[in-house]
Amino acid sequence: MTPRFSVWGITGLPEIAPGDDLVTLIADAVAAQTATDPGLALEAGDILVVTSKIISKSEGMQVPAADREKAIAADTVRVVAERVHPGGTFRIVETRQGLVMAAAGIDMSNVPEGVALRLPADPDASARALCAGLRTRLGVDIGIVITDTIGRAWRVGQTDMAIGAAGVQLTDDLRGANDANGRPLHVTQAVVVDEIAGAADLVKGKTTGIPVAVVRGLGRFVRDLDAPGARTLTRTGDDDMFRFGSAEAYRLGYEAAMAEIKSKNKQRQD
């Protein structure tokens, strides 16, 4: 059989407001699409890819745009790198969700004027609740991937990645298998949820008003609701080889060296 999968957007969702029931809104939108095209009815093994913005909107994560800097500070665990420019200071930070993103992922696109939007407080918990609700409502086992847009340190532009997941296998671990030429693979782990996130964004986009997509044909990656969430993909501690930006690493090294010199000088004086 020829390997293939398909992706399409779920249309007809309204502007999301705090307290909106996403399970009902998504299920109703799917039903409306199915009325005109029965092939779009959700099936077991389908994966719904949901932009984090509608999760945040429904969970009331809006803040006044004037308070954006305060919100960034509140959601920042660690500053990874920063650069001053004419418009202010650009910061790459680690968020309380464990993500490394510009401005803690707090965005003002696709929101009303004068509003900034924080990330969901716990994207994996949001994914589990949505997945459980839709599985019950629709009667089929589907997976959920919650996405946000992120830049890459050595690549131009941005892409979508998974910040929350439920009922989905996160990676395809090929370590110990052989490649097509019979050579053993030692480090290869395909991050399936990020690949799904990027594929789905090709039909969701940033300007179409389509915040949810369906990916069909990857049912082998759909799992039980207690499968690990996307936060487990974060590199931490010794596994994080790029913990600081170059300027920050230099500053920390300089400060450590100066502290050591001061300590030695004090010992000599004593």
Side-chain angles (χ1 to χ4, degrees):
M1 180 179 294
T2 302
R4 68 178 65 187
F5 70 93
S6 56
V7 187
W8 66 88
I10 295 178
T11 58
L13 284 164
E15 177 64 26
I16 304 301
D20 279 352
D21 181 355
L22 291 182
V23 170
T24 296
L25 291 175
I26 291 173
D28 288 349
V30 170
Q33 280 190 313
T34 303
T36 58
D37 186 345
L40 299 183
L42 292 185
E43 301 175 356
D46 287 347
I47 298 172
L48 263 64
V49 184
V50 184
T51 182
S52 64
K53 274 197 170 61
I54 67 168
I55 304 293
S56 292
K57 289 176 180 179
S58 71
E59 294 178 355
M61 300 303 287
Q62 299 89 336
V63 297
D67 293 337
R68 182 170 181 258
E69 290 299 321
K70 292 180 182 178
I72 292 172
D75 287 353
T76 295
V77 172
R78 170 177 62 93
V79 175
V80 176
E82 60 185 3
R83 180 170 295 179
V84 178
H85 60 88
T89 301
F90 177 77
R91 294 183 179 87
I92 304 294
V93 306
E94 179 185 345
T95 73
R96 59 199 175 108
Q97 295 88 351
L99 302 163
V100 176
M101 310 181 80
I106 297 175
D107 196 4
M108 293 193 295
S109 63
N110 291 310
V111 294
E113 187 69 26
V115 172
L117 196 63
R118 301 166 74 182
L119 293 175
D122 186 340
D124 284 330
S126 301
R128 285 192 297 273
L130 185 58
C131 192
L134 285 170
R135 284 185 177 192
T136 299
R137 173 74 178 262
L138 301 172
V140 291
D141 285 344
I142 62 169
I144 294 288
V145 176
I146 296 176
T147 67
D148 201 71
T149 304
I150 189 169
R152 287 82 38 86
W154 295 279
R155 301 282 284 183
V156 172
Q158 299 82 33
T159 187
D160 267 25
M161 76 168 191
I163 67 168
V168 179
Q169 179 180 323
L170 304 177
T171 67
D172 192 7
D173 192 346
L174 300 176
R175 292 173 296 180
N178 293 328
D179 68 12
N181 294 314
R183 297 185 182 92
L185 299 171
H186 300 293
V187 298
T188 303
Q189 293 185 77
V191 187
V192 174
V193 286
D194 285 349
E195 293 177 326
I196 291 171
D201 194 51
L202 294 174
V203 297
K204 290 194 291 111
K206 311 301 181 195
T207 61
T208 60
I210 300 175
V212 184
V214 180
V215 177
R216 175 168 295 169
L218 300 177
R220 65 187 183 278
F221 296 117
V222 173
R223 295 289 182 268
D224 293 335
L225 278 175
D226 59 358
R231 181 149 192 168
T232 62
L233 294 171
T234 303
R235 290 188 186 273
T236 58
D238 292 341
D239 289 334
D240 185 356
M241 296 176 63
F242 309 100
R243 186 167 176 79
F244 297 103
S246 58
E248 290 66 32
Y250 176 85
R251 175 176 54 79
L252 290 171
Y254 176 81
E255 291 174 354
M258 292 302 296
E260 184 176 353
I261 290 171
K262 289 179 181 179
S263 176
K264 288 181 178 179
N265 287 340
K266 187 176 185 303
Q267 291 175 3
R268 292 192 187 101
Q269 292 171 0
D270 293 341

